Amino acid sequence: MKKMLSLALAGVMALSLMACSAQNGGDSSENTSSPSSSQPSEEVVNVGTSSVTITSLNANKEAVELEVPFAPQRIAILDMASLDILDALGVGDRVVGTASTSLEYLQDYINDDIANLGTIKEADLEAVMACEPDVIFIGGRLASSYDALSEIAPVVYLATDTELGVVESVRQNATTIASMFGLEDKVDELMADFDARITALSEFAAGKTAIVGLVTSGSYNVLGNDGRCSMIGREIGFENIGVDANIDTSTHGNEASFEFIVEKAPDYIFVLDRDAAIGTDGAKLAQEIMENELVMGTDAYKNGNIVYLAHPAVWYTAEGGISALDIMLQDLESELLAQ
């Protein structure tokens, strides 16, 4: 019985491999499907090596040395920040499969020529295997699948380090990915103006207090400087008075009452609409939830200082990408520096 089951599975996988090969143009050296936003991969430097060693994370989120193919031809993506960086580096034409995403600026990768590999939270292992990737990129939501995916191809797991800061994390992760293609020099070019933009926002934020949080399922959850939106408190410098520094808020924050917001009386209130970010059906808009009688009595509301982050899906699913960082800074600049 076991022998028959193994033979059947082998047959299914063989058919899947044939389908994915046909979908992506057969042999990887002949793959011509290329998202329109990517630059031709001929820019990749050929240094005559077959592999390169990078620093990545393992299933336990520990930094490890990982050997990966140099200039991989077939890339499977299960992390939007990594896809963002690959796209910015101009090597997106090597993506043969990706997780689904609603991010507008990455929609060129959602098409019939690129295999659907599931979501950034749940990978379709058979689809990943069928695409015969040279390397697989994941984010923290798939850490538990690291070992299973590693049976298919080397797994590059990169993350944003809030202690290091979002900007430096992006720079570090982009350099790691660029080193796989000999494109390290391009990272400085892509990130040339970020430090100056952070400085301008920091000058505005000096001496101002804020509560940072996300709206989900009708409630407002406060965030600290240990996870999402940490850039607002850590790098830009608003004094985040919403939570105790020792409380873990890195996932979805901690639910807070609107009376709590009134009591804290922040100068600014920052709002990430999680329901909009993940496309929750029937959810109220963040503005409907936040602009209640209590909040409307605060100085933050009266002074027009409630900041609804305009691109919640970027903040929630792509933080750590180069284009994402640009969009996130634009969201803050348009609300704070345009006053």
Side-chain angles (χ1 to χ4, degrees), residues 210-269:
I211 288 180
V212 183
L214 59 82
V215 167
T216 182
S217 302
S219 65
Y220 182 69
N221 293 9
V222 293
L223 296 166
N225 293 335
D226 58 346
R228 292 184 175 91
C229 304
S230 63
M231 180 172 66
I232 295 170
R234 283 196 180 276
E235 288 151 284
I236 293 171
F238 280 94
E239 182 187 351
N240 187 348
I241 59 174
V243 292
D244 185 291
N246 296 318
I247 297 176
D248 179 6
T249 67
S250 59
T251 305
H252 296 140
N254 295 328
E255 186 173 350
S257 67
F258 294 112
E259 287 84 359
F260 173 83
I261 296 174
V262 173
E263 176 188 341
K264 288 291 185 179
D267 297 322
Y268 280 79
I269 300 171

Side-chain angles (χ1 to χ4, degrees), residues 77-195:
I77 292 286
L78 291 157
D79 174 55
M80 291 304 107
S82 295
L83 178 57
D84 176 318
I85 293 171
L86 288 162
D87 180 71
L89 290 171
V91 291
D93 58 327
R94 297 168 184 239
V95 173
V96 295
T98 183
S100 58
T101 180
S102 63
L103 294 171
E104 292 183 8
Y105 72 101
L106 294 178
Q107 285 306 297
D108 283 337
Y109 297 91
I110 308 300
N111 59 62
D112 292 338
D113 294 322
I114 296 177
N116 184 335
L117 305 182
T119 72
I120 57 177
K121 293 179 65 177
E122 185 174 356
D124 182 337
L125 295 180
E126 286 194 3
V128 176
M129 184 181 294
C131 284
E132 299 181 281
D134 299 323
V135 65
I136 303 166
F137 286 86
I138 69 168
R141 294 174 177 89
L142 280 173
S144 62
S145 299
Y146 179 93
D147 291 336
L149 289 166
S150 293
E151 294 293 322
I152 301 172
V155 175
V156 179
Y157 170 14
L158 302 174
T160 299
D161 183 342
T162 55
E163 293 290 334
L164 184 62
V166 175
V167 176
E168 286 308 310
S169 290
V170 171
R171 196 187 315 276
Q172 181 173 288
N173 291 343
T175 300
T176 295
I177 294 175
S179 71
M180 297 170 60
F181 301 90
L183 294 173
E184 294 93 327
D185 291 345
K186 194 167 184 178
V187 175
D188 288 338
E189 173 190 337
L190 290 167
M191 300 191 64
D193 70 338
F194 287 148
D195 289 336

Side-chain angles (χ1 to χ4, degrees), residues 40-62:
S41 58
E42 284 78 3
E43 293 180 9
V44 174
V45 177
N46 183 357
V47 297
T49 58
S50 59
S51 65
V52 62
T53 300
I54 64 170
T55 300
S56 177
L57 301 177
N58 62 16
N60 297 319
K61 303 182 181 181
E62 301 164 336

Side-chain angles (χ1 to χ4, degrees), residues 302-337:
K302 293 175 183 177
N303 295 330
N305 292 344
I306 297 184
V307 177
Y308 297 97
L309 301 173
H311 297 87
V314 174
W315 288 80
Y316 195 73
T317 66
E319 184 184 66
I322 292 175
S323 296
L325 179 54
D326 176 45
I327 293 168
M328 290 159 65
L329 289 175
Q330 287 182 48
D331 282 355
L332 297 175
E333 290 162 341
S334 63
E335 292 291 332
L336 303 177
L337 302 187

